[in-house]
């Protein structure tokens, strides 16, 4: 097993020799041993992330204090990554395979991917949760039916992870927390959607003291990979990657997840609500996705009727039949608005 204690020398931790590594992590990018430590090297700087003329890659440079600092930074980074990597899918046999030490080699592949990506993206750097995304991608790619492609799982995982981070990297940048694309901005957008469609649950969670960040930070930063079993996560990601707006997809799915367990939440106190939200109960994922999509479609129809048709919200709700998969919409169970006569009767009962 990986050592949880003192960080090992970088060259041992990375284990980037060609027999173990198998593949370069990205085209034109590899790790070179310089003065006893591993450094990112790039012969092609198309993305502008590495400087071709950066003297740090010159193996003839003498030792210097700055080189020592860089080496220490690498050790700390790898130690941080390793502590998270060895907790990635800890019950999955794929990462526990004892034959030829395959499990540890697969964990080492995750370390290399995350280390190189962090070194090439210092404006973002490594953040806990990235290991869950990389671990899931690597598992899927390593099980490709085409063995030639499966052998390239490490390089392909790096490419896909980098492409995904281009879209969601703002979530991991502290300076952008309050932006719409930052973590606090995305949480705010999610809670606004919950308030629109299920204000009763939103108010109850506020009243018992559940801050949205208690559960939604993990949901959004790991793309819900820790809330479901791995087969369900893969099914969820298939739909998410097929969506043209991944952040919007994730927002509607997250709100629908809250509404699926609304009865448990409304009966619960602080500890019950927190437990249910942080250890999401087993659910039918296909129904969850269907309900999420139905909510988005129905909201789009209502919005279009109000803006283009020039009618009020109440009239739009009574005019458009909601999809049967909807759980809650606009504060109405099933999204079904009572007719005017029923509204008058309910108002009278409340008055009495």
């Amino acid at each position: 097993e990986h050592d949880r204690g003192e960080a090992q020398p970088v060259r041992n931790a990375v284990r980037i020799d060609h027999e173990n590594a198998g593949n370069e992590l990205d085209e034109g990018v590899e790790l070179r041993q310089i003065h006893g430590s591993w450094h990112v090297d790039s012969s092609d700087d198309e993305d502008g992330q590495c400087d071709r003329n950066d003297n740090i890659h010159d193996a003839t440079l003498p030792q210097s204090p700055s080189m020592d600092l860089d080496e220490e930074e690498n050790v700390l980074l790898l130690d941080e990554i390793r502590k998270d990597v060895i907790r990635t899918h800890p019950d999955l046999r794929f990462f526990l395979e004892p034959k030829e030490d395959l499990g540890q080699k697969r964990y080492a592949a995750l370390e290399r991917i995350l280390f190189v990506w962090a070194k090439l993206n210092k404006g973002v750097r490594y953040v806990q949760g990235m290991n869950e995304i990389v671990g899931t991608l690597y598992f899927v790619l390593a099980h490709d039916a085409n063995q030639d492609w499966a052998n390239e799982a490490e390089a392909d995982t790096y490419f896909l992870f980098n492409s995904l981070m281009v879209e969601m990297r703002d979530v991991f940048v502290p300076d952008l927390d309050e932006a719409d694309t930052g973590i606090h901005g995305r949480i705010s957008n999610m809670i606004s959607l919950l308030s629109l469609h299920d204000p009763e649950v939103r108010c109850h969670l506020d009243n018992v003291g559940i801050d949205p960040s208690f559960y939604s930070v993990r949901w959004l930063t790991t793309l819900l990979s820790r809330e479901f079993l791995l087969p369900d996560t893969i099914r969820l990601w298939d739909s998410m990657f097929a969506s043209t707006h991944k952040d919007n997809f994730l927002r509607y799915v997250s709100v629908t997840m809250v509404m699926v367990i609304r009865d448990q939440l409304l009966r619960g106190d602080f500890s019950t609500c927190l437990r249910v939200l942080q250890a999401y109960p087993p659910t039918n994922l296909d129904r969850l996705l269907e309900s999420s999509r139905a909510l988005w479609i129905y909201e789009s129809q209502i919005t279009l009727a109000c803006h283009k048709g020039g009618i009020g919200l109440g009239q739009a709700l009574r005019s458009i039949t909601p999809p049967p998969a909807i759980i809650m919409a606009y504060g109405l169970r099933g999204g079904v608005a009572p007719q005017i006569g029923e509204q008058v009767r309910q108002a009278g009962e409340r008055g009495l």
Side-chain angles (χ1 to χ4, degrees):
E1 292 186 2
H2 290 285
D3 185 6
R4 292 172 179 263
E6 182 178 354
Q8 298 298 313
V10 176
R11 59 182 177 277
N12 294 332
V14 178
R15 294 190 295 170
I16 196 69
D17 60 276
H18 291 293
E19 292 181 2
N20 287 339
N23 313 296
E24 289 185 350
L25 293 175
D26 196 8
E27 184 176 356
V29 178
E30 61 180 354
L31 296 181
R32 284 202 295 144
Q33 191 175 20
I34 299 176
H35 300 307
S37 65
W38 292 101
H39 293 270
V40 176
D41 187 19
S42 175
S43 59
D44 187 3
D45 186 25
E46 293 181 356
D47 295 331
Q49 293 171 313
C50 293
D51 186 349
R52 292 190 183 89
N53 300 318
D54 193 343
N55 290 332
I56 196 169
H57 303 306
D58 185 354
T60 63
L61 284 177
Q63 286 282 9
S64 66
S66 61
M67 184 71 73
D68 292 339
L69 289 175
D70 186 64
E71 193 168 320
E72 181 180 359
E73 177 185 303
N74 289 343
V75 171
L76 294 175
L77 174 60
L78 277 164
D79 187 50
E80 181 183 4
I81 290 173
R82 178 180 294 110
K83 288 178 180 179
D84 291 336
V85 163
I86 61 177
R87 294 195 293 265
T88 304
H89 299 300
D91 300 324
L92 194 64
R93 180 171 176 77
F94 178 75
F95 291 115
L96 301 175
E97 179 63 57
K99 182 181 178 181
E100 299 180 0
D101 203 25
L102 286 176
Q104 295 302 313
K105 290 179 179 178
R106 289 162 179 163
Y107 270 150
L110 304 190
E111 291 178 6
R112 291 192 291 269
I113 293 167
L114 291 166
F115 176 80
V116 171
W117 190 88
K119 294 298 291 183
L120 294 177
N121 294 271
K122 292 189 176 182
V124 184
R125 76 181 308 274
Y126 170 77
V127 178
Q128 187 179 40
M130 292 180 177
N131 59 299
E132 301 287 346
I133 298 174
V134 168
T136 303
L137 290 173
Y138 184 77
F139 173 84
V140 173
L141 294 169
H143 282 84
D144 196 287
N146 185 319
Q147 189 57 47
D148 290 337
W149 290 7
N151 292 339
E152 304 297 329
E154 184 173 339
D156 289 346
T157 298
Y158 180 90
F159 175 81
L160 290 179
F161 176 68
N162 185 63
S163 299
L164 189 58
M165 286 297 105
V166 169
E167 297 185 31
M168 64 176 296
R169 68 172 61 204
D170 291 359
V171 170
F172 301 103
V173 179
D175 291 343
L176 298 175
D177 279 352
E178 304 303 327
D180 283 345
T181 55
I183 185 63
H184 292 166
R186 295 195 184 199
I187 292 174
S188 177
N189 291 335
M190 182 189 117
I191 297 305
S192 295
L193 187 65
L194 178 63
S195 300
L196 174 64
H197 293 301
D198 201 343
E200 184 181 8
V201 165
R202 163 67 197 279
C203 290
H204 177 74
L205 293 177
D206 284 348
N207 290 339
V208 298
I210 299 292
D211 189 277
S213 63
F214 292 170
Y215 59 94
S216 56
V217 169
R218 190 176 79 181
W219 289 12
L220 298 178
T221 56
T222 65
L223 302 179
L224 298 173
S225 61
R226 293 183 59 185
E227 314 314 314
F228 304 103
L229 296 175
L230 184 57
D232 285 342
T233 297
I234 294 171
R235 168 69 182 88
L236 173 70
W237 283 16
D238 275 343
S239 295
M240 181 181 66
F241 291 149
S243 173
T244 54
H245 300 286
K246 297 180 183 60
D247 56 336
N248 205 40
F249 173 91
L250 195 61
R251 183 163 62 109
Y252 277 85
V253 169
S254 298
V255 167
T256 303
M257 286 172 61
V258 175
M259 295 193 293
V260 164
I261 57 174
R262 70 185 309 273
D263 292 338
Q264 293 174 260
L265 295 174
L266 291 174
R267 292 194 303 265
D269 56 9
F270 174 85
S271 59
T272 300
C273 291
L274 187 63
R275 174 177 53 80
V276 172
L277 289 166
Q278 291 189 340
Y280 197 79
T283 189
N284 185 312
L285 189 69
D286 287 330
R287 290 182 183 175
L288 173 65
L289 292 174
E290 184 181 1
S291 297
S292 172
R293 177 169 174 76
L295 180 63
W296 178 80
I297 291 174
Y298 188 52
E299 181 184 325
S300 300
Q301 291 174 333
I302 295 296
T303 301
L304 185 63
C306 292
H307 290 178
K308 299 293 186 180
I311 62 176
L313 177 60
Q315 184 179 351
L317 291 172
R318 289 189 296 271
S319 302
I320 300 175
T321 302
I326 282 183
I327 301 170
M328 293 288 297
Y330 297 98
L332 303 169
R333 186 173 288 274
V336 178
Q339 296 302 314
I340 295 179
E342 179 66 16
Q343 288 181 313
V344 171
R345 185 186 65 79
Q346 290 177 357
E349 289 179 352
R350 286 195 296 270
L352 293 176

